[in-house]
Each structure stands twice: as structure tokens, then as C-alpha cells.
Amino acid sequence: MRYTQLGRTGLKVGRLVLGTMNFGSETVEADAHKIMDAGLDAGVNFFDTANIYGGDNRKGLTEEVLGRWFAQGGGRRDKVVLATKLYGNMTNDGTPWHEQSWPNHDHLSALNIRREVEASLRRLGTDHIDVYQFHHIDRATPWDEIWQAMDVLVTQGKILYAGSSNFAGWHIAQANEAARRRGSLGLVSEQCFYNLAQRTAEMDVIPAAQAYGLGVIPWSPLNQGLLGGALRKERDGGGSRTSMGRSAAGLADPAMRAKVQAYEELCDDRGLEPGEVALAWLLTRPGVTGPIVGPRTAEHLESALRALDLDLDAELLAELDAIFPGPGPSPEAFAW
């Protein structure tokens, strides 16, 4: 495992981040524990989760799965840099997380931050969260209120760092300028939708993260499975029903299907696995700390780890850019 600093902090994290969204829902707990053990054995030390993971009727289940894994001892908790998130509504009545079902049980008010950090700590069975992340921008709560609540948690030792997810570039600037005025550290990481086929984050999110010293943690590095050999799996009938359904939605676009076809042919010509190339490509990108991989099986994790050993030469990188060109920086991407 190769390690790097998380943004401008002194915290060292591996260049692959273990995402746990499938644990407890698509991956049974025993298998999830085996995957986490395998990750730790391979040197993966950055684990990412969220309070809402587990399903609409079992929000919080994934954190509980991690908590029971930590409780097995063996230095598990001490070795892991633990990140979780808050924002979505946590009412466990089957309501989708993004649909408000009870007031003050979501978003980033001081009340909800206090409620949710305590709930996550209980489920995770730990006394602190290393990176506490805002899962989405809250347009209704002022940053002074948010940072006041987070500063209290830092003082109490319940969190160490704050991170964001799904922020625009100007949100990152706004958040960190507000933190600067208070003398707070501010955001140290940003989780964004970023992969070889979806590169809009290069316009302003990643430049803002670099300017403010945030580590970039891409989620969906295989673009809902499209970059993981989707056409091959379509032909062979491989992959889970969920992953195939997501891939089919993307492949329904003729333009995207043609790009994926060219991508898989290029990988085949080089004798490389598409999913591993997609991860390795992200590791070459400026500002990227490491992509989040969300394995459902131990084999998925093994494949992701192999990406660390891939050295993509300049010719291959140019060919990938030709298939999936980036937008270029802003404002040139949309103006002169």
C-alpha cells in the first residue's frame, strides 16, 4: 500500500479508500467483516461510511456492521482512519433518505450535527470519528452555525477533521473562508463524483480543493460499473443484478456505449482489466488522494488493490483522454 497525506493535514491515508455502502445491504455482515480484514491486511487504512447506509428501513445498519467489526479487537479501530457522513434524514420508516420525513432530523443544523454525531458514535462503538463529512451542501444553515457546532465536537474530542461531499467549488471556498474567519481548520477533504467517463469535477471542484488544500476522494470511480467491463459482462451474463441494472442504464446512451466499447477494446489490446485501469487513471490525477472502492466481495477488493501496481504510460493516458476527453478548466470550458 502506498500512503499520502490527506490534503493539507498530517494524516496519512492509503491511496485506496474502502467504501462500505454495500455492507449490511448487499453484502452480509460476515462477508463484510472478511473484506475489512483483507483490506487491513493489505494496508488499507481509510474506511468510509455514512449514517444513512443500510437501506431505507435500516439506516445506520452499515455503521453497526463496522462497530461490531471494531469490537473484535486486534487493533482494528486504532489502525483505521474512520470517516462517516451526515445530512440525509434518519427517520427509519422506509422513507428514502433524500425525502424529509420529520423536521430537524436531517441537514446541518447545530441540533442535527449534535444528534447525528452521538448516534454514529454509538453505532460505530468508538469514542471519536476521524473525518466527519457533510454529505451534501445545506443551503439553509449558515456556515457560522455549522462551524460552531463542529468546533465544539473537535474540542470534545469526538471528531478530528471535517470533510465535504458533493460540494461545488464555490461551496468549498465559502466553507473554508468562513472557517478561516473563525480560526478553524475548515474542510480537509472533498468526496466528489469523478471518474474517467465523468470529468466535470475538473472544471472547478478539484481546482478549488487543490487551492484550499483538500484531499480529493472520488466516489463511483467505475461510473456505476460502466468502466468495469460492462459490455463484457453484458455479453457473458456476469455481474450482480444491481450492477448490471446500473450499467444497462448507462449503456442505453449510444454515445456512451460507443465510448465504453472503445475503452474495453483498448484495455483488451493492452491485456489490462478495465476496472483496474479506471482506478489507476484516477491515481494519476492531480489532487486525488485515492478513490473510494465499494467491494461487494473479497474478489472485488483484490482487483482494486491490483490497480495500485499499474503504471499507465503516457501513450495509454493520451488514448484514454481521446476516448473520454475532459472538459478543461473553467471558465475556458464554457467561455473564452
CSV table of all heavy atoms in Angstrom, one decimal, residues 248-292:
chain,number,residue,atom,x,y,z
A,248,ALA,N,-26.7,-1.1,-17.5
A,248,ALA,CA,-27.6,-1.0,-18.6
A,248,ALA,C,-28.1,0.3,-18.8
A,248,ALA,O,-28.3,0.8,-20.0
A,248,ALA,CB,-28.7,-2.1,-18.4
A,249,ALA,N,-28.4,1.1,-17.7
A,249,ALA,CA,-28.9,2.4,-17.9
A,249,ALA,C,-27.9,3.3,-18.6
A,249,ALA,O,-28.3,4.1,-19.4
A,249,ALA,CB,-29.3,3.0,-16.5
A,250,GLY,N,-26.7,3.2,-18.2
A,250,GLY,CA,-25.6,4.0,-18.9
A,250,GLY,C,-25.4,3.6,-20.3
A,250,GLY,O,-25.2,4.4,-21.2
A,251,LEU,N,-25.4,2.3,-20.6
A,251,LEU,CA,-25.2,1.8,-21.9
A,251,LEU,C,-26.3,2.0,-22.9
A,251,LEU,O,-26.2,1.9,-24.1
A,251,LEU,CB,-24.9,0.3,-21.9
A,251,LEU,CG,-23.6,-0.2,-21.2
A,251,LEU,CD1,-23.5,-1.7,-21.1
A,251,LEU,CD2,-22.4,0.4,-21.9
A,252,ALA,N,-27.5,2.5,-22.4
A,252,ALA,CA,-28.6,2.8,-23.2
A,252,ALA,C,-28.4,4.0,-24.1
A,252,ALA,O,-29.0,4.3,-25.1
A,252,ALA,CB,-29.9,3.0,-22.4
A,253,ASP,N,-27.4,4.9,-23.6
A,253,ASP,CA,-27.0,6.0,-24.4
A,253,ASP,C,-26.0,5.6,-25.5
A,253,ASP,O,-24.9,5.1,-25.2
A,253,ASP,CB,-26.3,7.0,-23.4
A,253,ASP,CG,-25.8,8.3,-24.2
A,253,ASP,OD1,-26.0,8.4,-25.4
A,253,ASP,OD2,-25.1,9.1,-23.5
A,254,PRO,N,-26.4,5.7,-26.7
A,254,PRO,CA,-25.5,5.2,-27.8
A,254,PRO,C,-24.1,5.8,-27.8
A,254,PRO,O,-23.1,5.1,-28.1
A,254,PRO,CB,-26.2,5.6,-29.1
A,254,PRO,CG,-27.7,5.7,-28.7
A,254,PRO,CD,-27.6,6.2,-27.3
A,255,ALA,N,-24.0,7.1,-27.5
A,255,ALA,CA,-22.7,7.8,-27.4
A,255,ALA,C,-21.8,7.2,-26.3
A,255,ALA,O,-20.6,6.9,-26.5
A,255,ALA,CB,-22.9,9.3,-27.2
A,256,MET,N,-22.4,7.0,-25.1
A,256,MET,CA,-21.6,6.4,-24.1
A,256,MET,C,-21.3,4.9,-24.4
A,256,MET,O,-20.2,4.4,-24.1
A,256,MET,CB,-22.4,6.4,-22.7
A,256,MET,CG,-21.7,5.8,-21.6
A,256,MET,SD,-20.1,6.5,-21.2
A,256,MET,CE,-20.6,8.1,-20.5
A,257,ARG,N,-22.2,4.2,-25.0
A,257,ARG,CA,-21.9,2.8,-25.3
A,257,ARG,C,-20.7,2.7,-26.3
A,257,ARG,O,-19.9,1.8,-26.1
A,257,ARG,CB,-23.2,2.2,-26.0
A,257,ARG,CG,-23.1,0.7,-26.2
A,257,ARG,CD,-24.3,0.1,-26.8
A,257,ARG,NE,-24.3,-1.4,-26.8
A,257,ARG,CZ,-24.7,-2.1,-25.8
A,257,ARG,NH1,-25.3,-1.6,-24.8
A,257,ARG,NH2,-24.6,-3.4,-25.9
A,258,ALA,N,-20.7,3.6,-27.3
A,258,ALA,CA,-19.5,3.6,-28.2
A,258,ALA,C,-18.2,3.9,-27.5
A,258,ALA,O,-17.2,3.3,-27.8
A,258,ALA,CB,-19.8,4.6,-29.3
A,259,LYS,N,-18.3,4.8,-26.5
A,259,LYS,CA,-17.0,5.1,-25.8
A,259,LYS,C,-16.6,4.0,-24.9
A,259,LYS,O,-15.4,3.6,-24.9
A,259,LYS,CB,-17.3,6.4,-24.9
A,259,LYS,CG,-17.5,7.7,-25.6
A,259,LYS,CD,-17.7,8.8,-24.7
A,259,LYS,CE,-17.8,10.1,-25.4
A,259,LYS,NZ,-18.0,11.3,-24.5
A,260,VAL,N,-17.6,3.3,-24.3
A,260,VAL,CA,-17.2,2.1,-23.4
A,260,VAL,C,-16.7,1.0,-24.3
A,260,VAL,O,-15.7,0.3,-23.9
A,260,VAL,CB,-18.4,1.7,-22.7
A,260,VAL,CG1,-18.2,0.3,-21.9
A,260,VAL,CG2,-18.9,2.7,-21.6
A,261,GLN,N,-17.2,0.9,-25.5
A,261,GLN,CA,-16.7,-0.2,-26.5
A,261,GLN,C,-15.3,0.1,-26.8
A,261,GLN,O,-14.4,-0.8,-26.8
A,261,GLN,CB,-17.6,-0.2,-27.7
A,261,GLN,CG,-17.1,-1.2,-28.8
A,261,GLN,CD,-17.4,-2.6,-28.4
A,261,GLN,OE1,-18.5,-2.9,-27.9
A,261,GLN,NE2,-16.4,-3.5,-28.5
A,262,ALA,N,-15.0,1.4,-27.1
A,262,ALA,CA,-13.6,1.7,-27.5
A,262,ALA,C,-12.7,1.6,-26.3
A,262,ALA,O,-11.5,1.1,-26.4
A,262,ALA,CB,-13.6,3.2,-28.0
A,263,TYR,N,-13.2,1.9,-25.1
A,263,TYR,CA,-12.4,1.7,-23.9
A,263,TYR,C,-12.0,0.3,-23.6
A,263,TYR,O,-10.9,-0.1,-23.3
A,263,TYR,CB,-13.2,2.3,-22.7
A,263,TYR,CG,-12.5,2.1,-21.4
A,263,TYR,CD1,-11.3,2.7,-21.0
A,263,TYR,CD2,-13.2,1.4,-20.4
A,263,TYR,CE1,-10.8,2.5,-19.8
A,263,TYR,CE2,-12.7,1.2,-19.1
A,263,TYR,CZ,-11.4,1.8,-18.8
A,263,TYR,OH,-10.9,1.6,-17.6
A,264,GLU,N,-13.0,-0.6,-23.7
A,264,GLU,CA,-12.8,-2.0,-23.4
A,264,GLU,C,-11.8,-2.6,-24.5
A,264,GLU,O,-11.0,-3.5,-24.2
A,264,GLU,CB,-14.1,-2.8,-23.4
A,264,GLU,CG,-14.9,-2.4,-22.1
A,264,GLU,CD,-16.1,-3.3,-21.9
A,264,GLU,OE1,-16.1,-4.5,-22.5
A,264,GLU,OE2,-17.0,-2.9,-21.1
A,265,GLU,N,-12.0,-2.2,-25.7
A,265,GLU,CA,-11.1,-2.7,-26.8
A,265,GLU,C,-9.6,-2.2,-26.5
A,265,GLU,O,-8.7,-3.0,-26.7
A,265,GLU,CB,-11.5,-2.2,-28.1
A,265,GLU,CG,-12.8,-2.9,-28.6
A,265,GLU,CD,-13.4,-2.3,-29.9
A,265,GLU,OE1,-12.8,-1.3,-30.4
A,265,GLU,OE2,-14.4,-2.8,-30.5
A,266,LEU,N,-9.5,-1.0,-26.1
A,266,LEU,CA,-8.1,-0.5,-25.7
A,266,LEU,C,-7.5,-1.3,-24.6
A,266,LEU,O,-6.4,-1.7,-24.6
A,266,LEU,CB,-8.2,1.0,-25.4
A,266,LEU,CG,-6.9,1.6,-24.8
A,266,LEU,CD1,-5.8,1.6,-25.9
A,266,LEU,CD2,-7.2,3.1,-24.4
A,267,CYS,N,-8.3,-1.6,-23.6
A,267,CYS,CA,-7.8,-2.4,-22.4
A,267,CYS,C,-7.5,-3.8,-22.9
A,267,CYS,O,-6.4,-4.4,-22.5
A,267,CYS,CB,-8.9,-2.4,-21.3
A,267,CYS,SG,-9.1,-0.8,-20.5
A,268,ASP,N,-8.3,-4.4,-23.7
A,268,ASP,CA,-8.0,-5.7,-24.2
A,268,ASP,C,-6.7,-5.8,-25.0
A,268,ASP,O,-5.9,-6.7,-24.9
A,268,ASP,CB,-9.2,-6.2,-25.1
A,268,ASP,CG,-10.4,-6.6,-24.3
A,268,ASP,OD1,-10.3,-6.8,-23.1
A,268,ASP,OD2,-11.5,-6.7,-24.9
A,269,ASP,N,-6.5,-4.7,-25.8
A,269,ASP,CA,-5.3,-4.7,-26.6
A,269,ASP,C,-4.1,-4.6,-25.7
A,269,ASP,O,-3.0,-5.1,-26.1
A,269,ASP,CB,-5.3,-3.5,-27.5
A,269,ASP,CG,-6.3,-3.6,-28.7
A,269,ASP,OD1,-6.8,-4.7,-28.9
A,269,ASP,OD2,-6.7,-2.6,-29.3
A,270,ARG,N,-4.2,-4.0,-24.6
A,270,ARG,CA,-3.1,-3.9,-23.6
A,270,ARG,C,-3.0,-5.0,-22.6
A,270,ARG,O,-2.1,-5.1,-21.8
A,270,ARG,CB,-3.2,-2.5,-22.9
A,270,ARG,CG,-3.0,-1.3,-23.7
A,270,ARG,CD,-1.5,-1.2,-24.2
A,270,ARG,NE,-1.2,0.2,-24.7
A,270,ARG,CZ,-0.4,1.0,-24.0
A,270,ARG,NH1,0.1,0.8,-22.9
A,270,ARG,NH2,-0.2,2.2,-24.6
A,271,GLY,N,-4.0,-5.9,-22.7
A,271,GLY,CA,-4.0,-7.0,-21.7
A,271,GLY,C,-4.3,-6.6,-20.3
A,271,GLY,O,-3.8,-7.2,-19.3
A,272,LEU,N,-5.2,-5.5,-20.2
A,272,LEU,CA,-5.5,-5.0,-18.9
A,272,LEU,C,-7.0,-5.1,-18.6
A,272,LEU,O,-7.8,-5.1,-19.5
A,272,LEU,CB,-5.1,-3.5,-18.9
A,272,LEU,CG,-3.6,-3.2,-19.1
A,272,LEU,CD1,-3.4,-1.7,-19.3
A,272,LEU,CD2,-2.8,-3.7,-18.0
A,273,GLU,N,-7.3,-5.1,-17.3
A,273,GLU,CA,-8.7,-5.2,-16.8
A,273,GLU,C,-9.2,-3.7,-16.8
A,273,GLU,O,-8.6,-2.8,-16.2
A,273,GLU,CB,-8.8,-5.8,-15.5
A,273,GLU,CG,-8.6,-7.3,-15.5
A,273,GLU,CD,-9.6,-8.1,-16.3
A,273,GLU,OE1,-10.8,-7.7,-16.2
A,273,GLU,OE2,-9.3,-9.0,-17.0
A,274,PRO,N,-10.4,-3.5,-17.4
A,274,PRO,CA,-11.0,-2.2,-17.5
A,274,PRO,C,-11.1,-1.5,-16.1
A,274,PRO,O,-10.8,-0.3,-15.9
A,274,PRO,CB,-12.3,-2.4,-18.1
A,274,PRO,CG,-12.1,-3.6,-19.0
A,274,PRO,CD,-11.2,-4.5,-18.2
A,275,GLY,N,-11.7,-2.2,-15.1
A,275,GLY,CA,-11.9,-1.6,-13.8
A,275,GLY,C,-10.6,-1.2,-13.1
A,275,GLY,O,-10.5,-0.2,-12.5
A,276,GLU,N,-9.5,-2.0,-13.3
A,276,GLU,CA,-8.2,-1.7,-12.7
A,276,GLU,C,-7.6,-0.4,-13.4
A,276,GLU,O,-7.0,0.4,-12.8
A,276,GLU,CB,-7.3,-2.9,-12.8
A,276,GLU,CG,-7.8,-4.0,-11.9
A,276,GLU,CD,-7.1,-5.3,-12.2
A,276,GLU,OE1,-6.0,-5.3,-12.7
A,276,GLU,OE2,-7.6,-6.4,-11.8
A,277,VAL,N,-7.8,-0.3,-14.7
A,277,VAL,CA,-7.3,0.8,-15.5
A,277,VAL,C,-8.0,2.1,-15.0
A,277,VAL,O,-7.4,3.1,-14.8
A,277,VAL,CB,-7.5,0.6,-17.0
A,277,VAL,CG1,-7.2,1.9,-17.7
A,277,VAL,CG2,-6.6,-0.5,-17.5
A,278,ALA,N,-9.3,2.0,-14.8
A,278,ALA,CA,-10.1,3.2,-14.3
A,278,ALA,C,-9.6,3.7,-13.0
A,278,ALA,O,-9.5,4.9,-12.8
A,278,ALA,CB,-11.6,2.8,-14.3
A,279,LEU,N,-9.3,2.8,-12.1
A,279,LEU,CA,-8.8,3.2,-10.8
A,279,LEU,C,-7.4,3.7,-10.9
A,279,LEU,O,-7.1,4.7,-10.3
A,279,LEU,CB,-8.8,2.0,-9.8
A,279,LEU,CG,-10.2,1.4,-9.4
A,279,LEU,CD1,-10.0,0.1,-8.6
A,279,LEU,CD2,-10.9,2.5,-8.6
A,280,ALA,N,-6.5,3.1,-11.7
A,280,ALA,CA,-5.2,3.5,-11.8
A,280,ALA,C,-5.1,4.9,-12.5
A,280,ALA,O,-4.3,5.7,-12.2
A,280,ALA,CB,-4.4,2.5,-12.7
A,281,TRP,N,-6.1,5.2,-13.4
A,281,TRP,CA,-6.2,6.5,-14.0
A,281,TRP,C,-6.4,7.6,-13.0
A,281,TRP,O,-5.8,8.6,-13.0
A,281,TRP,CB,-7.2,6.5,-15.1
A,281,TRP,CG,-7.4,7.9,-15.8
A,281,TRP,CD1,-6.7,8.4,-16.8
A,281,TRP,CD2,-8.3,8.9,-15.4
A,281,TRP,NE1,-7.1,9.6,-17.1
A,281,TRP,CE2,-8.1,10.0,-16.3
A,281,TRP,CE3,-9.3,9.0,-14.4
A,281,TRP,CZ2,-8.9,11.2,-16.2
A,281,TRP,CZ3,-10.1,10.2,-14.4
A,281,TRP,CH2,-9.8,11.2,-15.2
A,282,LEU,N,-7.3,7.3,-12.1
A,282,LEU,CA,-7.6,8.3,-11.0
A,282,LEU,C,-6.4,8.6,-10.2
A,282,LEU,O,-6.2,9.7,-9.7
A,282,LEU,CB,-8.8,7.8,-10.1
A,282,LEU,CG,-10.2,8.0,-10.7
A,282,LEU,CD1,-11.2,7.3,-9.9
A,282,LEU,CD2,-10.5,9.5,-10.8
A,283,LEU,N,-5.6,7.6,-9.9
A,283,LEU,CA,-4.4,7.7,-9.1
A,283,LEU,C,-3.3,8.6,-9.8
A,283,LEU,O,-2.4,9.1,-9.1
A,283,LEU,CB,-3.8,6.4,-8.8
A,283,LEU,CG,-4.6,5.5,-7.8
A,283,LEU,CD1,-4.1,4.1,-7.7
A,283,LEU,CD2,-4.8,6.1,-6.5
A,284,THR,N,-3.5,8.9,-11.1
A,284,THR,CA,-2.6,9.8,-11.8
A,284,THR,C,-3.1,11.2,-11.8
A,284,THR,O,-2.3,12.1,-12.2
A,284,THR,CB,-2.4,9.3,-13.3
A,284,THR,OG1,-3.6,9.6,-14.0
A,284,THR,CG2,-2.0,7.9,-13.4
A,285,ARG,N,-4.3,11.4,-11.3
A,285,ARG,CA,-4.9,12.8,-11.5
A,285,ARG,C,-4.4,13.7,-10.3
A,285,ARG,O,-4.3,13.3,-9.2
A,285,ARG,CB,-6.4,12.7,-11.4
A,285,ARG,CG,-7.0,11.8,-12.5
A,285,ARG,CD,-6.4,12.1,-13.9
A,285,ARG,NE,-6.8,13.4,-14.3
A,285,ARG,CZ,-6.2,14.0,-15.3
A,285,ARG,NH1,-5.2,13.4,-16.0
A,285,ARG,NH2,-6.6,15.2,-15.7
A,286,PRO,N,-4.1,15.0,-10.7
A,286,PRO,CA,-3.6,15.9,-9.7
A,286,PRO,C,-4.7,16.1,-8.6
A,286,PRO,O,-5.9,16.2,-8.9
A,286,PRO,CB,-3.4,17.2,-10.5
A,286,PRO,CG,-3.3,16.8,-11.9
A,286,PRO,CD,-4.1,15.5,-12.0
A,287,GLY,N,-4.2,16.2,-7.4
A,287,GLY,CA,-5.1,16.4,-6.2
A,287,GLY,C,-5.9,15.2,-5.7
A,287,GLY,O,-6.5,15.4,-4.6
A,288,VAL,N,-5.8,14.1,-6.4
A,288,VAL,CA,-6.6,12.9,-5.9
A,288,VAL,C,-5.8,12.2,-4.8
A,288,VAL,O,-4.7,11.8,-5.0
A,288,VAL,CB,-6.9,12.0,-7.0
A,288,VAL,CG1,-7.4,10.6,-6.5
A,288,VAL,CG2,-7.9,12.6,-8.0
A,289,THR,N,-6.5,12.1,-3.6
A,289,THR,CA,-5.9,11.3,-2.5
A,289,THR,C,-6.0,9.8,-2.8
A,289,THR,O,-5.1,9.1,-2.8
A,289,THR,CB,-6.6,11.6,-1.2
A,289,THR,OG1,-6.5,13.0,-0.9
A,289,THR,CG2,-6.1,10.8,-0.1
A,290,GLY,N,-7.2,9.4,-3.2
A,290,GLY,CA,-7.5,8.0,-3.5
A,290,GLY,C,-9.0,7.8,-3.8
A,290,GLY,O,-9.8,8.4,-3.1
A,291,PRO,N,-9.3,6.9,-4.7
A,291,PRO,CA,-10.7,6.7,-5.0
A,291,PRO,C,-11.4,5.8,-3.9
A,291,PRO,O,-10.7,5.0,-3.3
A,291,PRO,CB,-10.7,6.0,-6.4
A,291,PRO,CG,-9.3,5.3,-6.4
A,291,PRO,CD,-8.4,6.2,-5.6
A,292,ILE,N,-12.7,5.9,-3.8
A,292,ILE,CA,-13.4,5.0,-2.9
A,292,ILE,C,-13.8,3.8,-3.7
A,292,ILE,O,-14.5,3.9,-4.7
A,292,ILE,CB,-14.7,5.7,-2.4
A,292,ILE,CG1,-14.3,6.9,-1.5
A,292,ILE,CG2,-15.5,4.7,-1.5
A,292,ILE,CD1,-15.5,7.7,-1.1
